[in-house]
Amino acid sequence: MQTYPDHIWHNGRIKPWAEATVHVMAHGLHYGSSVFEGVRCYDTPRGPVVFRMADHNRRLLQSAHIHDMPVPYTAEELGAATREVLRANGLRSAYIRPVAYRGLGGFGLSADTPVEVAVAAWHWGPYLGAAALESGIDACVSSWQRFAPNTVPAGAKAGGNYLSGQLVAREARRLGFGEGIALASTGLLSEGAGENLFLVFGDELHTPPASAALLNGITRHTVRVLAQEAGLTVVERDLPREYLYLCDELFMCGTAAEITPIRSVDGKPIGNGERGPVTRRIQELFFGLFRGETKDKWGWLEPLEQE
Ligand code: PMP
């Protein structure tokens, strides 16, 4: 069962968890008009750090901009709220969920309903399971496609988009798979229900482009930079489905899923059916950031307690 922390940040202040409520007639509930982020705080030898917090808060504001939602806080103020909620709950590591949503006051599709904001933080382990970080998961290609690029913008991390992700993820779990992979409306590879994809061919990492109806993940960017540091080549390109079956290694990445290997797709083993050496190397570099083994040259680790 999910256990919740004592406090949450809501509309400018820390409140008891139970008091951060929305009305049943909230615009966001009826029309999916919310934008959100998933961010992680890691306990490191330097103390707790929030990973790429500024980038996440920037993306939250970009998602809101796409949907004409005026968020009444700057990225810096959202950063301060994040620090406040972590401290209020005494958390040194956490999953953090900032969300901005249209609340009450003005109903209908084009109403300028005021935007409210909350930031929650709680303990949440790797999304696809801690064991999967080593063993990998069995994935399937979903019978649901992602939305076409001229329908709903995949580049905004908006609540409504996640009806698509839920169809993909729930179908996969119902059929006994760990996660689903969606194709774009073009029939080419897009992404996992809530994760980006990397296919490994020798020392090259291939990933579908932003035009394939995916969220341009911050972990995806992190993987790209770390792989290049390790002397690997990263290629962004259109990828047909069958390349999933032909690659040497395959992994998913995202803030919640971190770096999770995929050991089979549609019942076909990937490579030798185990986590491969390139995936392992990327995991070492990624988790090494939080163990103090990978030097943070990029300022990605934002200390909870500012120096
Ligand atoms: N795609 C989707 C649909 C997602 O929900 C996520 C998780 N936010 C990702 C990709 C990965 O994005 P990030 O690395 O920024 O968490």
Side-chain angles (χ1 to χ4, degrees):
M1 218 186 77
Q2 176 87 54
T3 53
Y4 296 114
D6 293 339
H7 297 100
I8 185 166
W9 187 97
H10 191 206
N11 293 334
R13 66 184 179 87
I14 296 288
K15 293 179 179 176
W17 179 272
E19 288 177 20
T21 54
V22 290
H23 197 275
V24 291
M25 292 308 289
H27 195 280
L29 186 59
H30 292 253
Y31 301 129
S33 47
S34 67
V35 293
F36 68 97
E37 278 300 315
V39 193
R40 276 193 191 272
C41 174
Y42 290 90
D43 200 7
T44 76
R46 283 169 50 194
V49 300
V50 187
F51 187 59
R52 303 193 64 172
M53 180 167 69
D55 292 327
H56 281 285
N57 286 330
R58 232 184 334 263
R59 187 172 68 184
L60 183 93
L61 297 180
Q62 287 170 349
S63 298
H65 179 59
I66 291 170
H67 286 289
D68 292 334
M69 291 174 57
V71 176
Y73 301 99
T74 62
E76 291 70 30
E77 287 168 336
L78 293 169
T82 302
R83 288 193 164 91
E84 232 185 299
V85 76
L86 287 166
R87 278 195 221 108
N89 289 304
L91 289 165
R92 297 180 64 87
S93 67
Y95 181 81
I96 302 156
R97 168 55 56 88
V99 59
Y101 59 93
R102 288 199 189 272
L104 270 193
F107 211 67
L109 296 183
S110 63
D112 289 323
T113 311
V115 175
E116 302 189 23
V117 181
V119 185
W122 71 97
H123 280 296
W124 200 22
Y127 175 59
L128 299 169
L133 296 177
E134 200 177 319
S135 65
I137 58 156
D138 300 305
C140 64
V141 174
S142 182
S143 68
W144 293 102
Q145 287 183 339
R146 297 279 292 166
F147 24 85
N150 58 349
T151 58
V152 177
K157 192 169 169 63
N161 294 19
Y162 284 80
L163 284 171
S164 158
Q166 287 176 69
L167 289 168
V168 173
R170 297 186 73 89
E171 179 187 62
R173 309 265 151 85
R174 197 164 55 241
L175 298 175
F177 293 95
E179 186 57 300
I181 295 171
L183 304 179
S185 60
T186 55
L188 299 169
L189 280 181
S190 175
E191 62 175 350
E195 313 83 8
N196 292 121
L197 285 175
F198 279 92
L199 290 72
V200 181
F201 295 93
D203 59 3
E204 290 187 2
L205 272 68
H206 293 213
T207 194
S211 54
L214 49 83
L215 184 74
N216 189 354
I218 290 169
T219 320
R220 176 178 181 266
H221 178 259
T222 303
V223 167
R224 173 194 295 261
V225 172
L226 293 176
Q228 282 163 348
E229 280 285 301
L232 300 161
T233 304
V234 182
V235 186
E236 197 174 295
R237 56 175 291 225
D238 286 336
L239 288 158
R241 171 177 179 168
E242 63 272 24
Y243 279 37
L244 289 173
Y245 312 134
L246 301 177
C247 59
D248 302 319
E249 299 177 33
L250 178 62
F251 64 87
M252 288 185 154
C253 71
T255 299
E258 300 175 311
I259 315 280
T260 300
I262 302 176
R263 64 182 174 200
S264 75
V265 179
D266 300 331
K268 295 174 193 267
I270 306 296
N272 61 7
E274 290 175 359
R275 174 177 64 174
V278 173
T279 307
R280 197 192 172 117
R281 180 82 190 109
I282 298 293
Q283 286 182 320
E284 277 166 8
L285 290 169
F286 178 76
F287 292 112
L289 283 163
F290 316 118
R291 291 194 290 253
E293 292 159 10
T294 303
K295 192 170 170 336
D296 174 23
K297 295 184 192 167
W298 309 276
W300 288 338
L301 306 183
E302 300 178 47
L304 174 58
E305 302 305 337
Q306 284 166 306
E307 283 120 27

XYZ file of all heavy atoms in Angstrom, residues 37 59 62-63 66-67 146-147 152-158 161 210 213-216:
159
model
N 5.536 17.177 -13.651
C 6.902 16.680 -13.787
C 7.101 15.523 -12.828
O 6.370 15.373 -11.844
C 7.928 17.783 -13.430
C 8.221 18.745 -14.554
C 8.791 18.037 -15.790
O 9.672 17.191 -15.654
O 8.335 18.348 -16.899
N 10.868 22.636 -18.040
C 9.981 21.859 -18.910
C 8.525 21.983 -18.443
O 7.609 22.033 -19.267
C 10.406 20.385 -18.957
C 9.603 19.593 -19.995
C 10.138 18.192 -20.201
N 9.928 17.360 -19.032
C 10.362 16.116 -18.912
N 11.039 15.548 -19.901
N 10.141 15.415 -17.826
N 7.328 25.088 -19.879
C 7.161 24.941 -21.340
C 5.866 24.185 -21.661
O 5.129 24.552 -22.573
C 8.359 24.208 -21.947
C 9.607 25.070 -22.003
C 10.858 24.276 -22.370
O 10.848 23.047 -22.395
N 11.934 24.991 -22.638
N 5.610 23.113 -20.898
C 4.369 22.346 -21.110
C 3.169 23.263 -20.898
O 2.204 23.239 -21.666
C 4.282 21.176 -20.126
O 5.347 20.276 -20.315
N 2.703 25.682 -23.847
C 2.067 25.036 -25.007
C 0.543 25.062 -24.838
O -0.198 25.290 -25.790
C 2.595 23.587 -25.180
C 4.065 23.613 -25.615
C 1.736 22.797 -26.179
C 4.759 22.249 -25.580
N 0.097 24.860 -23.602
C -1.350 24.773 -23.349
C -1.947 26.081 -22.802
O -3.060 26.050 -22.245
C -1.642 23.595 -22.413
C -1.503 22.266 -23.107
N -2.400 21.831 -24.051
C -0.553 21.300 -23.026
C -2.026 20.636 -24.507
N -0.898 20.292 -23.901
N 0.691 5.874 -30.384
C 0.741 7.224 -29.800
C -0.099 8.157 -30.676
O -0.357 7.866 -31.850
C 2.190 7.722 -29.769
C 3.078 6.888 -28.889
C 2.954 7.252 -27.443
N 3.494 8.576 -27.180
C 3.278 9.253 -26.056
N 2.525 8.742 -25.094
N 3.817 10.432 -25.880
N -0.483 9.294 -30.136
C -1.283 10.258 -30.894
C -0.431 10.895 -32.004
O 0.763 11.095 -31.847
C -1.874 11.334 -29.985
C -1.116 11.545 -28.702
C -0.029 12.391 -28.667
C -1.480 10.865 -27.545
C 0.684 12.572 -27.485
C -0.774 11.046 -26.360
C 0.308 11.892 -26.340
N -2.484 15.923 -30.400
C -2.140 16.366 -29.040
C -0.618 16.438 -28.976
O 0.054 15.491 -29.376
C -2.668 15.336 -28.011
C -2.271 15.727 -26.606
C -4.182 15.201 -28.110
N -0.046 17.541 -28.520
C 1.420 17.633 -28.509
C 2.087 16.707 -27.481
O 1.886 16.864 -26.277
C 1.700 19.103 -28.190
C 0.446 19.639 -27.622
C -0.692 18.771 -28.065
N 2.851 15.762 -27.990
C 3.532 14.802 -27.112
C 4.661 15.462 -26.337
O 5.089 14.960 -25.294
C 4.078 13.644 -27.947
N 5.157 16.582 -26.843
C 6.283 17.271 -26.196
C 5.891 18.010 -24.933
O 6.760 18.473 -24.201
N 4.584 18.131 -24.675
C 4.137 18.710 -23.406
C 3.841 17.551 -22.466
O 3.231 16.568 -22.870
C 2.868 19.529 -23.622
N 4.294 17.682 -21.237
C 4.008 16.625 -20.258
C 2.704 17.008 -19.560
O 2.714 17.610 -18.476
C 5.184 16.504 -19.281
C 5.132 15.263 -18.410
C 6.458 15.085 -17.689
C 6.384 14.023 -16.600
N 6.084 12.692 -17.091
N 1.601 16.729 -20.244
C 0.283 17.157 -19.765
C -0.520 15.956 -19.291
O -0.407 14.858 -19.855
C -0.462 17.862 -20.891
N -2.359 13.652 -21.751
C -1.549 12.746 -22.587
C -1.461 11.350 -21.979
O -1.219 10.373 -22.687
C -0.104 13.245 -22.702
C 0.011 14.549 -23.453
O -0.970 15.259 -23.589
N 1.192 14.850 -23.935
N 12.364 13.308 -31.662
C 11.225 13.999 -31.023
C 9.989 13.972 -31.918
O 8.862 13.988 -31.425
C 11.614 15.438 -30.703
N 6.437 11.444 -31.758
C 5.376 11.561 -30.735
C 5.831 11.120 -29.351
O 5.149 10.363 -28.663
C 4.137 10.764 -31.159
N 7.006 11.598 -28.953
C 7.503 11.202 -27.632
C 7.782 12.418 -26.769
O 7.846 13.557 -27.259
C 8.753 10.338 -27.764
C 9.900 10.806 -28.662
C 10.808 11.784 -27.976
C 10.697 9.583 -29.129
N 7.929 12.160 -25.479
C 8.372 13.208 -24.567
C 9.897 13.223 -24.631
O 10.539 12.184 -24.490
C 7.903 12.914 -23.140
C 8.261 14.024 -22.154
C 7.360 15.247 -22.359
C 8.136 13.541 -20.718
N 10.422 14.407 -24.864
C 11.872 14.558 -24.971
C 12.445 14.497 -23.560
O 12.592 15.507 -22.877
C 12.147 15.902 -25.647
C 13.592 16.074 -25.999
O 14.436 15.245 -25.644
N 13.888 17.156 -26.677
